[in-house]
Amino acid sequence: PYALLMRVIRHVVCKLPRFERQLCSWSGGDPGEIERGIRVLERFIKPERLARIRQVVAERTSNATIVMENLHDPQNGAACMRTAESLGVREVHVIESFDRFRYNNKIACGAEKWLSVKHHKNASECLRYLRERGHIILGADVHEGALPIANINFAALQSLSLPLPPRVDSPKLYRSFCENISRLAREQASRGADSAFVSTARSRTPLAFVFGNESRGLSGWIRGACDVRFTLPSVGFTESYNLSVSIGMTLYHCKMEGVLDRGKCAFENIPEELRAVYFRYLLQSIGRSVEILKRENVLISGLF
């Protein structure tokens, strides 16, 4: 009976329409066209709904992202996305070396519509993508050497000013670059609480929290590639928490530490990247948004 139930669950996964799948992986377009699209679509949304969308967009953060490696259970995938979206995370990454990422749409409760989901065919591709965008890589791990999350100095970590990876295609140079970043990150993560905190949100170094498979945890390769490994201490006999609970505990701790805060910024002053997010949320909120934009001759590259 259990095997039959799991087969049914795996088939009850959300299959978004093609356009909505495009939106989930869309990385933005021409700022001028996006502004035109915003002006058009705002006319078709009720004021109270528009206010809610603006409130959510203003709280969206790129200071932290979540990486999930080879998740197997669609229910876990859905719960993780729902948790990340509720805590203001804008983008999640999934590594699909062995298992294709799936999620149960009933458990996700629509969270997938409001997240940007990046798919990676292997761990190396994912981590390189994140390093090219200046992220520090933190892996959730229960093995020896992992720091309790409460002992990590996130303020010091986010104050690091990191160089970008070498442009030349040299495995030796890239490996040396990663080793230097990891050394710096471990030094900062272990510093005392008296280190200076950088209050300007735009100057903070973004963090990527990596979580492994439900039963196997992090793969050996990722465990060795992480800049910092952290653990969520348990006082019971079980050494780890459920995956979605781990992500929730990690993100909530980060929120309390100020990691997720963008700083006080009125919606009218949000950066260009969040204007693209706002446009995407408007698209998701109107049933015939594409037809409306085409009628107004607004063409967005990468979408239609």
Side-chain angles (χ1 to χ4, degrees):
Y2 175 78
L4 179 61
L5 175 63
M6 291 306 297
R7 287 181 62 186
V8 171
I9 289 174
R10 286 173 193 145
H11 281 83
V12 185
V13 295
C14 184
K15 295 184 177 179
L16 289 173
R18 180 173 176 271
F19 179 64
E20 290 195 4
R21 289 201 304 271
Q22 280 183 277
L23 279 177
C24 285
S25 58
W26 182 60
S27 57
D30 177 73
E33 287 299 311
I34 288 174
E35 290 303 320
R36 284 190 60 208
I38 287 173
R39 288 194 295 271
V40 169
L41 295 178
E42 283 181 333
R43 306 199 308 260
F44 295 86
I45 297 182
K46 293 181 179 179
E48 56 271 21
R49 178 61 177 172
L50 197 60
R52 176 60 178 156
I53 294 173
R54 290 177 173 180
Q55 178 188 9
V56 170
V57 170
E59 294 289 337
R60 282 295 188 247
T61 181
S62 57
N63 291 342
T65 188
I66 292 298
V67 181
M68 297 175 282
E69 183 190 20
N70 293 314
L71 262 64
H72 179 71
D73 190 339
Q75 297 185 82
N76 273 332
C80 293
M81 289 198 299
R82 183 173 172 180
T83 300
E85 195 279 329
S86 296
L87 285 165
V89 172
R90 198 178 80 201
E91 182 177 279
V92 299
H93 298 262
V94 293
I95 299 171
E96 301 172 312
S97 307
F98 305 111
D99 291 308
R100 182 172 61 88
F101 179 70
R102 298 167 298 179
Y103 56 90
N104 184 305
N105 62 330
K106 291 185 178 180
I107 295 176
C109 291
E112 70 281 357
K113 293 172 57 178
W114 314 111
L115 287 169
S116 178
V117 182
K118 307 290 186 185
H119 296 258
H120 303 274
K121 61 184 179 182
N122 55 55
S124 176
E125 174 190 284
C126 177
L127 264 57
R128 188 169 192 110
Y129 177 94
L130 292 167
R131 291 199 185 281
E132 287 174 350
R133 286 153 182 80
H135 286 73
I136 293 175
I137 313 298
L138 298 96
D141 193 24
V142 296
H143 290 78
E144 186 178 353
L147 293 171
I149 192 169
N151 293 356
I152 294 178
N153 190 327
F154 286 106
L157 265 185
Q158 289 193 298
S159 70
L160 277 174
S161 180
L162 301 181
L164 295 179
R167 291 183 177 274
V168 294
D169 188 15
S170 168
K172 184 176 180 180
L173 282 177
Y174 182 69
R175 184 167 58 251
S176 176
F177 164 82
C178 293
E179 289 172 353
N180 288 333
I181 296 300
S182 295
R183 177 180 53 79
L184 287 171
R186 284 192 293 270
E187 289 174 357
Q188 292 293 84
S190 303
R191 288 181 61 181
D194 58 342
S195 63
F197 179 69
V198 180
S199 60
T200 304
R202 293 183 186 180
S203 69
R204 296 188 197 177
T205 298
L207 309 178
F209 295 92
V210 188
F211 296 85
N213 175 271
E214 298 95 328
S215 59
R216 300 186 297 270
L218 291 178
S219 64
W221 188 89
I222 283 194
R223 188 178 296 116
C226 286
D227 302 320
V228 177
R229 290 184 297 116
F230 70 94
T231 186
L232 298 165
S234 167
V235 296
F237 289 109
T238 52
E239 64 178 9
S240 64
Y241 299 90
N242 170 274
L243 180 63
S244 61
V245 172
S246 296
I247 289 179
M249 292 171 68
T250 300
L251 289 178
Y252 192 76
H253 177 83
C254 289
K255 187 173 182 63
M256 295 297 99
E257 290 286 311
V259 174
L260 304 185
D261 293 345
R262 291 196 316 104
K264 294 188 180 298
C265 177
F267 173 79
E268 292 73 16
N269 300 322
I270 60 174
E272 185 178 291
E273 59 184 14
L274 283 184
R275 296 295 290 178
V277 173
Y278 177 52
F279 172 67
R280 181 185 147 203
Y281 288 0
L282 294 178
L283 281 171
Q284 296 277 32
S285 301
I286 301 174
R288 301 177 65 85
S289 56
V290 176
E291 289 81 355
I292 292 170
L293 291 175
K294 287 182 177 178
R295 190 173 65 230
E296 298 286 337
N297 293 318
V298 178
L299 301 178
I300 307 296
S301 59
L303 286 180
F304 48 83

